[in-house]
Amino acid sequence: MQRKLTLNDGNVIPQFGLGLYQLPEGTETQNIVKTALELGYRHLDTSHAYQNETSVGQAIQDSEISNSEIWITSKLWPSDYEQAPEAIERMLKRLKVKQIDLLLLHQQVGNYRKAWIALENAVKEGKVKSIGISNFDGERLVDLFNFADIKPSVIQVETHPYHQQVELQEFLKPYGTKIESWYPLGHGDKNLLEEKIFKKMAKKYNKTVAQIILRWHIQEGIIVFPRSTQKEHLAENINIFDFELSCSEIKEIRKLNKKQPYFTMTYEEQEKNFLSWKLED
């Protein structure tokens, strides 16, 4: 039975889900979502930038599972920030829902303050349940938290055993904001996946190294949604709730922290790349 976490706004989110990054619009994504739902997935993480929201929404509509049982996370791209209210309306139509469970600001460039006000208003209007941010750090992270009337429920950032976001966790504690992980398996880094400690634990629990790392995320209170397109891997990824790492094993994994992100784009590079990217509806 997979876990759920209570956010700082009182809403309850499935801690484990499916990431839909780089999955194309169309039947392929619909089939992947259908399979995931059949396997017990109840959290789907998409985005306007992924350009597959319509397929995600259709797959949910086609399933026999009530919309109320499925948590949908999506994200506004910076090109949406200036007209965020209208962008939210279009997102609701693409996803074929009356309310988005969690809506994030995808990047820390553009008029994120104006967009955040729109997210807060969407919560008050019942169009969005919870709101948060993605890929914010440094001065822009602090500015957003100081500015916001409704503090972010989650922040989605690169998190894995080589980059455990310890300082960020300390910053978030007073707000009760949860971390969501992307690159949960370290961007497939061979060095990480071949760490002796993971191989030892995998043998002990009769699990794969990936399952050990995903279980570590769960026990650290991190929301995680690995991406997969194969039924075998989808089933394997979610099969992490029948064992538990010991306190000493968690401590050993914490020692692997190198504060080593794989994404290292500067503010200036983010502004140059992200603000010029216009998306189709």
Side-chain angles (χ1 to χ4, degrees), residues 15-267:
Q15 192 180 357
F16 183 88
L18 174 65
L20 295 161
Y21 176 58
Q22 290 184 325
L23 296 184
E25 187 74 274
T27 55
E28 179 182 349
T29 292
Q30 290 182 43
N31 290 334
I32 291 168
V33 172
K34 177 178 181 290
T35 300
L37 293 174
E38 290 172 348
L39 290 169
Y41 286 72
R42 292 297 182 268
H43 182 171
L44 304 172
D45 181 87
T46 184
S47 165
H48 188 190
Y50 302 170
Q51 297 283 275
N52 58 23
E53 290 172 310
T54 301
S55 296
V56 173
Q58 189 60 53
I60 293 171
Q61 290 297 309
D62 292 343
S63 76
E64 297 180 357
I65 302 167
S66 170
N67 281 21
S68 63
E69 296 181 34
I70 302 170
W71 182 280
I72 303 174
T73 296
S74 197
K75 312 172 194 75
L76 287 181
W77 191 249
S79 58
D80 294 327
Y81 289 0
E82 288 290 346
Q83 293 83 34
E86 295 82 1
I88 294 170
E89 290 293 338
R90 293 193 295 270
M91 182 176 285
L92 287 164
K93 291 179 180 178
R94 290 193 298 270
L95 291 168
K96 301 177 178 63
V97 295
K98 294 181 179 180
Q99 184 184 58
I100 299 166
D101 295 292
L102 175 61
L103 183 56
L104 312 179
L105 299 185
H106 204 153
Q107 303 290 350
Q108 61 182 351
V109 299
N111 195 345
Y112 61 82
R113 282 191 169 201
K114 183 176 182 179
W116 188 258
I117 292 173
L119 262 60
E120 292 181 334
N121 289 335
V123 170
K124 296 169 185 175
E125 295 166 358
K127 296 175 182 178
V128 175
K129 188 181 294 183
S130 296
I131 55 178
I133 53 178
S134 177
N135 302 314
F136 277 65
D137 61 15
E139 62 186 33
R140 301 185 189 192
L141 172 69
V142 174
D143 178 64
L144 190 283
F145 270 85
N146 288 337
F147 171 77
D149 288 330
I150 301 176
K151 305 305 179 184
S153 295
V154 306
I155 177 171
Q156 191 174 122
V157 289
E158 179 182 347
T159 312
H160 46 77
Y162 279 173
H163 189 49
Q164 298 183 24
Q165 299 285 6
V166 175
E167 292 81 3
L168 177 60
Q169 290 181 47
E170 287 301 312
F171 172 82
L172 297 175
K173 277 183 179 179
Y175 306 103
T177 303
K178 302 295 186 185
I179 289 179
E180 293 189 329
S181 166
W182 56 263
Y183 282 175
L185 301 177
H187 201 28
D189 185 346
K190 184 178 180 180
N191 293 321
L192 176 65
L193 298 177
E194 292 188 356
E195 286 281 357
K196 291 181 180 179
I197 184 174
F198 293 134
K199 290 187 174 182
K200 181 179 178 180
M201 293 178 191
K203 183 176 181 180
K204 173 183 175 181
Y205 293 106
N206 192 28
K207 296 291 182 179
T208 66
V209 167
Q211 287 173 313
I212 296 297
I213 296 174
L214 293 174
R215 181 67 200 187
W216 169 79
H217 280 282
I218 293 295
Q219 290 185 223
E220 291 285 47
I222 298 165
I223 301 165
V224 63
F225 28 80
R227 171 190 174 277
S228 181
T229 60
Q230 303 298 318
K231 183 175 182 178
E232 178 185 355
H233 291 153
L234 288 168
E236 179 182 288
N237 287 343
I238 200 173
N239 186 24
I240 57 173
F241 296 97
D242 59 351
F243 76 104
E244 187 168 330
L245 301 172
S246 69
C247 291
S248 61
E249 288 169 335
I250 293 292
K251 290 179 181 178
E252 285 299 307
I253 296 174
R254 288 175 181 170
K255 293 178 183 178
L256 295 176
N257 189 25
K258 301 179 180 181
K259 301 181 182 180
Q260 175 188 310
Y262 296 93
F263 181 84
T264 57
M265 193 180 291
T266 65
Y267 281 165

